[in-house]
Amino acid sequence: MEQMFITPIIPLNSIGNIGSDKKIASGNAGNSAFQDVFREAIQNVKETDKNLTTQEYLLSTGQINDAHTVPAAAAKAQLSIELLTALRSKALESYNEMMRISI
């Protein structure tokens, strides 16, 4: 019987685990973890866009054998942009909600 190659699922860092190697007490240290989330999302957008550009170039020059990698790269790039947009929207919603709180 043939063995199938299955890529194991690698868990993503949850927002609660980001910065866990640092001891976050309060104040500016909390900002660091918040910034790390956005930096990681922005870096992911840059990497997936670069990968998509490379795949499109390889396809257009005939250097790629399997054309299905281009739509897969495009889907990854689109999802990373949607994730960054959703993070930005939630951050703005949270900020606006905190501004409405009266002390």
Side-chain angles (χ1 to χ4, degrees):
M1 193 177 225
E2 285 184 44
Q3 282 188 332
M4 295 177 57
F5 179 74
I6 299 174
T7 305
I9 296 173
I10 300 170
L12 298 174
N13 289 337
S14 69
I15 292 177
N17 293 337
I18 294 177
S20 62
D21 54 340
K22 305 171 193 169
K23 303 233 177 193
I24 298 176
S26 64
N28 290 336
N31 292 340
S32 172
F34 188 73
Q35 288 174 352
D36 289 345
V37 170
F38 280 97
R39 283 189 183 135
E40 185 177 332
I42 291 169
Q43 186 62 31
N44 191 15
V45 168
K46 288 178 182 178
E47 288 174 5
T48 55
D49 186 52
K50 184 177 179 181
N51 184 30
L52 175 59
T53 303
T54 302
Q55 294 296 326
E56 288 174 338
Y57 173 76
L58 291 175
L59 180 66
S60 65
T61 57
Q63 298 177 24
I64 196 168
N65 293 331
D66 48 352
H68 70 277
T69 57
V70 177
K76 285 181 183 179
Q78 181 65 32
L79 285 174
S80 66
I81 291 170
E82 289 175 7
L83 174 65
L84 180 61
T85 305
L87 282 172
R88 180 198 58 112
S89 298
K90 288 296 180 180
L92 286 174
E93 287 176 21
S94 300
Y95 174 78
N96 289 332
E97 188 65 30
M98 286 191 296
M99 290 296 119
R100 282 189 230 129
I101 296 174
S102 60
I103 299 176

